[in-house]
Amino acid sequence: MKSTAKNLRRISGKIAAFILIVIMTSVLYACDIRQGGQSGSGRRIVRIGHNQATDHPVNIGLAEFEKYVEERLGDRFDIEIFPNELLGAQTDMVQLTQTGAIDFCVASNSILETFSDQYTLFNLPYLFASTASYHAAMDDEDITSDIFASTKKAGFEAVTWIDAGTRNFYTVNKEINSPSDLKGLKIRVQQSPTNVEMMKLLGGSATPMGFGDVYTALQAHVIDGAENNELALTSNGHGDVCKYYSYDMHQMIPDILIGNCEFLESLTEEERTVFYEGFELFNRIEREEWDSAVQASRERAQKEQGVTFLYPDTEMFRQICLPMHENFLKEHEELRDIYNVIQVLNEEV
Ligand code: GCU
């Protein structure tokens, strides 16, 4: 009975998500039809969705992208940014980008693994040994370009990556000093098989859900904790409820700006150059903003929200997760060389 109810809930959840996408697509297309796909001034509207607040480095970087493109191509393009999941959760926004109902969105690399399993590589726990090697790897086109293009058939491709820091566990009221402390805890993870697998290995109970639902789930004690970078504590208010943040450093998962292929292919050479310079600018500004945003979050979380930061021995967590690397590579021999290059960066950078 219980599992039938669960199945029904899962199915109705999927139907609700599907209906939302159909509605969003129809609304956006209706606007386009009314306006001929253009703003009142005859400019092509370019819609970009993301799930962060307006003070987040992602939004600050995108605002600079908007300025840069409009200063050069403002007679042709009107860039519109939709923050705060206004266009739906990340999985919905990726599908809207796929169909061309919107042109771009920022998606976590985790989410993209369900569209192309090549992306799983960057989701592996403890893949990168340091922030420096993570950045060096993501800046290396020999590492990223095939993976970034792997969803082209699905209708979208990655145009740049941006920093999303290091992911760590945080809980309402339990200190996580070792993996055994996770036992029996319901921890929200992103909707990705890798994250569910990681949580299982570490002993907690994985509860996948969209980012926008986490705060309420924490408050209602539906979950005992979550895992994310420090900004989730302040920018998303999770530190109002969660009082322990534990630096186990399990993942450095980039965020990815993806674009609809048809839109990108429709650009003239001149327009393409400006857009791609804009993507680079977005990458640079977001990364420049990142460290100070983390610093400010840590201070606010400690002083105003009463969050305690813990520093467990990360090696205990790493050893448990490491078998995931070889299991993945066995199924993706084609990515072994890239994996090995990342290991060299881990040693040298
Ligand atoms: C980070 C990341 C987002 C992601 C979120 C999550 O905030 O930058 O892209 O959606 O984590 O945990 O879902």
Side-chain angles (χ1 to χ4, degrees):
M1 271 311 270
K2 249 189 187 167
S3 72
T4 315
K6 245 191 201 165
N7 281 340
L8 280 176
R9 266 205 305 278
R10 209 174 300 139
I11 291 166
S12 54
K14 279 191 178 153
I15 292 173
F18 176 73
I19 291 172
L20 177 76
I21 288 167
V22 172
I23 292 171
M24 288 301 298
T25 307
S26 327
V27 168
L28 292 167
Y29 275 137
C31 292
D32 274 356
I33 286 164
R34 256 204 334 271
Q35 300 175 340
Q38 296 174 338
S39 68
S41 56
R43 299 183 295 165
R44 164 74 158 82
I45 300 171
V46 177
R47 295 187 182 90
I48 309 178
H50 69 85
N51 67 357
Q52 306 291 0
T54 48
D55 64 350
H56 191 281
V58 162
N59 198 65
I60 296 171
L62 282 174
E64 289 301 316
F65 168 81
E66 172 178 4
K67 217 162 86 192
Y68 187 86
V69 174
E70 288 188 350
E71 266 167 19
R72 285 154 187 82
L73 301 170
D75 55 334
R76 281 170 258 175
F77 295 97
D78 175 7
I79 312 285
E80 287 185 5
I81 299 164
F82 297 86
N84 286 318
E85 293 197 1
L86 278 174
L87 297 180
Q90 270 184 357
T91 42
D92 304 328
M93 285 191 284
V94 174
Q95 290 175 55
L96 291 171
T97 309
Q98 219 176 351
T99 60
I102 64 174
D103 306 290
F104 297 95
C105 76
V106 177
S108 169
N109 191 85
S110 287
I111 296 299
L112 296 179
E113 118 181 346
T114 53
F115 293 85
S116 156
D117 57 5
Q118 303 267 302
Y119 275 98
T120 304
L121 178 68
F122 302 135
N123 295 336
L124 292 174
Y126 300 100
L127 173 69
F128 303 113
S130 65
T131 300
S133 67
Y134 158 46
H135 287 194
M138 295 309 299
D139 276 338
D140 183 344
E141 283 183 12
D142 288 341
I143 291 178
T144 59
S145 62
D146 285 351
I147 298 174
F148 280 7
S150 64
T151 51
K152 270 190 170 180
K153 269 197 200 129
F156 68 88
E157 65 188 286
V159 292
T160 191
W161 72 281
I162 41 168
D163 201 357
T166 307
R167 297 184 77 94
N168 300 290
F169 292 112
Y170 52 94
T171 64
V172 176
N173 54 18
K174 174 141 190 219
E175 292 191 19
I176 305 298
N177 291 308
S178 76
S180 60
D181 294 325
L182 288 163
K183 202 159 184 257
L185 296 190
K186 283 201 200 98
I187 304 288
R188 178 268 173 170
V189 294
Q190 290 175 284
Q191 295 124 308
S192 111
T194 302
N195 291 343
V196 173
E197 168 75 8
M198 174 189 74
M199 204 57 249
K200 243 194 235 160
L201 287 176
L202 289 172
S205 165
T207 311
M209 67 176 73
F211 195 34
D213 297 326
V214 181
Y215 182 84
T216 319
L218 285 168
Q219 233 187 5
H221 295 275
V222 172
I223 50 175
D224 303 297
E227 50 80 53
N228 215 318
N229 58 56
E230 298 87 337
L231 271 58
L233 297 173
T234 50
S235 192
N236 306 90
H238 298 179
D240 294 343
V241 192
C242 293
K243 299 305 168 195
Y244 293 104
Y245 186 96
S246 188
Y247 279 106
D248 68 291
M249 314 285 280
H250 56 263
Q251 281 161 319
M252 294 177 192
I253 298 185
D255 276 344
I256 311 283
L257 179 64
I258 62 163
N260 173 267
C261 289
E262 239 175 77
F263 172 74
L264 289 166
E265 280 154 21
S266 75
L267 297 173
T268 64
E269 218 174 296
E270 180 211 1
E271 291 165 354
R272 195 178 162 79
T273 304
V274 173
F275 270 83
Y276 275 79
E277 284 167 357
F279 301 146
E280 262 175 46
L281 179 72
F282 170 46
N283 170 295
R284 185 159 58 74
I285 301 290
E286 197 270 356
R287 287 165 67 180
E288 279 170 13
E289 291 288 321
W290 188 262
D291 287 346
S292 56
V294 167
Q295 206 39 45
S297 274
R298 281 174 51 85
E299 277 170 30
R300 220 192 106 203
Q302 234 158 355
K303 287 193 191 132
E304 293 172 28
Q305 296 174 310
V307 175
T308 302
F309 289 94
L310 304 163
Y311 300 88
D313 175 4
T314 58
E315 196 52 26
M316 292 185 287
F317 296 83
R318 195 174 86 93
Q319 285 305 327
I320 292 174
C321 295
L322 272 187
M324 290 178 72
H325 293 202
E326 197 46 42
N327 290 346
F328 171 73
L329 292 170
K330 270 192 210 138
E331 285 182 15
H332 288 280
E333 280 300 335
E334 78 281 6
L335 291 174
R336 196 176 281 277
D337 287 349
I338 292 183
Y339 175 85
N340 289 338
V341 173
I342 295 174
Q343 296 315 310
V344 173
L345 290 173
N346 282 342
E347 297 287 318
E348 288 178 357
V349 180

